[in-house]
Amino acid sequence: MSVRTFLLPDLGEGLTDAELVNWLVAEGDTIAVDQPVAEVETAKSLVEVPSPFAGVVETLHGAAGESIDVGKPLISVRTTADAPAPGETAPAAPADPDPAGEAYRQEERAGSGNVLIGYGTPGGHGTNRRTRAPRRPAPAPAAPAPASAPAAAAAVAAPAPATLEAPRCISPLVRRLARESGIALRSVHGTGRDGLILRRDVELAISGGSAPAPATAPVPASPAAPAAGPTDPRSGLAVTSRTPVKGLRRTVAANLSASRSEIPEATVWVDVDATALLELRADLKRRDPENTPGLMAFLARFTLAGLRRFPELNTRYVAGAGPDAELVAFDGVNLGFAAQTDRGLMVPSIRHAEKLSARELDAEIRRLTASARSGAATPAELTSGTFTLNNYGVFGVDGSAAIINYPESAILGIGRIIDKPWVVDGQLAVRKMTELTLVFDHRVCDGGTAGGFLRYVADAIENPGSVLADL
């Protein structure tokens, strides 16, 4: 036997580390190729990491709650495919290389060299059920017995099993999509570099048949680190705990810091009479209770119409070398919206939201909110926004000077809707009032553009019929 160590891959997300949430196997367990061995939490999602090796788990490198850098050891496996003959310290190289083993070595050279393989491969290896092996130095029972050789020749290892020939797929999110959709990655043609299987390849395979609804699992909370010292030297108070900033919280902190330090932001706000919009929605709900969009969907639809008139707010300021810079404009709007989850604040985005109706926007908002809260949202869904909506009214507050979701250029917020006295046609009346707040990057536009956009959205809320021609 030989011990092979699997290094933590980059998971296809361009990240530098991940938090080990839970081991799915233990030392001494017998595992198969493609069997999930650990759950890790990146800054963007919770994923299962499968083993590229079959054999007996020799070492688990790390404990739950620890952070592991990409490229560092994750798990060591005593493999059963290349066991030497009895009494031999190392296997002799065969004259004719085994095709399956050579294919696997080519697989390892794809991508970063730490290639994860596919879920849903034939043979029932896509399970995380533990199989406890005897804790003894003898070879695992699953290994085929090596063939006898003449006394003058060195013994060679038995041929590698077919399970070591793996499809080329780096991203655990792509593998999970294939597994939940019943797609065997061995049957998918990869269109990436050197045949790498990409998300679009799996989606193309799914389009040929129906896919079952994915099941989601609750995300375990990260344990807090124990107290590191009895007294804080600055305040003189006792220190009760120290919690490392990592994973999603570290990513959020980095983005917020970049936003505040790099973006010269400005804020404009306006009080808005939402009575007409609430009456319109109530009328729609009486007619069709099951298919009436929520207020957030109407606000999204009005926002998209406003961005069509004021596209500067849907651009991105990109600094170059020295004083050089450029404004990058986009063909469409990926509309992000703030969603509070147990893992923290996330901003999933609706791709090409400008093409959707209010009902379609409502469906996407509900789907992405549920996906973000369950930990199933993809990195693309969480990082591809070009403009953000923030409904902080759900927290019972009226306004907020929000921080722009870096590297975007603007964020529009809406506060709670409450009864307030308001003058209508010269008469004092009780109306349903809210506050809109727009925070924008002053480098991409002037106050006139920002004020014009905010006023357009406010007018749409106060008189929904006035924007029908723009929807």
Side-chain angles (χ1 to χ4, degrees):
M1 294 187 181
S2 66
V3 176
R4 305 191 69 176
T5 298
F6 177 44
L7 308 182
L8 180 68
D10 62 10
L11 306 179
E13 302 177 26
L15 302 173
T16 59
D17 62 2
E19 180 183 346
L20 179 61
V21 175
N22 183 41
W23 285 110
L24 302 179
V25 296
E27 293 180 359
D29 284 1
T30 297
I31 60 175
V33 170
D34 198 23
Q35 177 175 333
V37 295
E39 285 183 322
V40 299
E41 183 180 37
T42 70
K44 302 172 183 177
S45 58
L46 183 75
V47 295
E48 290 182 348
V49 180
S51 170
F53 311 127
V56 179
V57 177
E58 181 77 9
T59 307
L60 302 179
H61 299 279
E66 294 181 354
S67 291
I68 301 179
D69 292 335
V70 169
K72 296 298 184 181
L74 178 66
I75 186 171
S76 295
V77 179
R78 185 172 294 278
T79 60
T80 58
D82 52 357
E88 191 172 30
T89 58
D96 184 16
D98 175 64
E102 180 61 23
Y104 184 72
R105 285 187 287 275
Q106 292 295 328
E107 164 68 15
E108 280 196 313
R109 285 194 284 271
S112 64
N114 302 310
V115 178
L116 297 184
I117 53 187
Y119 284 111
T121 52
H125 299 301
T127 175
N128 61 0
R129 194 182 302 274
R130 292 184 179 178
T131 304
R132 177 68 66 179
R135 297 182 182 272
R136 60 176 184 269
S148 299
V156 298
T163 51
L164 288 183
E165 184 177 354
R168 297 183 180 182
C169 183
I170 295 177
S171 171
L173 298 170
V174 174
R175 295 194 315 279
R176 182 170 65 182
L177 175 63
R179 181 189 60 180
E180 294 174 346
S181 303
I183 300 296
L185 284 174
R186 296 181 189 275
S187 65
V188 177
H189 173 68
T191 60
R193 183 177 181 180
D194 297 327
L196 189 67
I197 297 175
L198 307 176
R199 182 182 181 90
R200 63 171 177 261
D201 302 326
V202 176
E203 290 175 339
L204 181 62
I206 294 174
S207 64
S210 60
T216 57
V219 180
S222 300
T231 305
D232 173 45
R234 183 177 184 276
S235 66
L237 299 177
V239 176
T240 59
S241 66
R242 293 182 183 272
T243 304
V245 179
K246 54 187 177 181
L248 175 67
R249 176 52 55 190
R250 183 170 61 186
T251 300
V252 171
N255 285 343
L256 295 177
S257 298
S259 180
R260 279 296 195 209
S261 62
E262 296 183 22
I263 298 178
E265 63 193 33
T267 306
V268 290
W269 61 91
V270 64
D271 291 327
V272 182
D273 182 355
T275 306
L277 177 59
L278 292 177
E279 290 175 348
L280 171 63
R281 185 175 181 275
D283 183 58
L284 292 174
K285 198 169 183 64
R286 282 192 297 269
R287 299 181 185 185
D288 190 0
E290 302 300 324
N291 296 304
T292 301
L295 289 174
M296 191 68 172
F298 283 110
L299 179 62
R301 186 60 264 174
F302 299 153
T303 298
L304 292 164
L307 290 175
R308 185 176 180 182
R309 283 200 174 191
F310 302 92
E312 298 92 334
L313 293 167
N314 191 48
T315 62
R316 181 182 302 157
Y317 183 94
V318 179
D324 296 334
E326 60 183 2
L327 296 180
V328 180
F330 307 103
D331 180 20
V333 181
N334 288 352
L335 186 65
F337 60 93
Q340 192 67 39
T341 74
D342 292 339
R343 296 177 61 222
L345 182 66
M346 295 187 179
V347 187
S349 62
I350 305 169
R351 293 185 61 83
H352 278 292
E354 79 282 357
K355 298 180 180 179
L356 304 182
S357 67
R359 283 193 175 92
E360 291 168 333
L361 288 169
D362 185 70
E364 276 296 276
I365 290 172
R366 295 178 187 276
R367 181 187 70 82
L368 288 170
T369 299
S371 181
R373 288 175 177 169
S374 67
T378 66
E381 290 171 335
L382 295 174
T383 59
S384 60
T386 59
F387 186 95
T388 297
L389 279 179
N390 186 7
N391 180 17
Y392 40 74
V394 297
F395 301 113
V397 298
D398 297 322
S400 170
I403 298 177
I404 297 172
N405 186 25
Y406 182 87
E408 297 172 16
S409 294
I411 180 171
L412 177 65
I414 184 170
R416 60 177 177 168
I417 301 176
I418 59 174
D419 290 337
K420 282 187 177 181
W422 195 249
V423 176
V424 180
D425 297 331
Q427 301 294 321
L428 189 63
V430 176
R431 308 291 286 183
K432 300 292 186 181
M433 301 298 299
T434 187
E435 183 179 282
L436 292 180
T437 305
L438 176 69
V439 183
F440 65 99
D441 185 342
H442 222 316
R443 297 173 299 182
V444 305
C445 69
D446 297 325
T449 299
F453 168 81
L454 187 62
R455 189 65 258 172
Y456 179 90
V457 177
D459 290 343
I461 293 174
E462 293 185 339
N463 185 11
S466 65
V467 297
L468 289 178
D470 296 327
L471 301 182

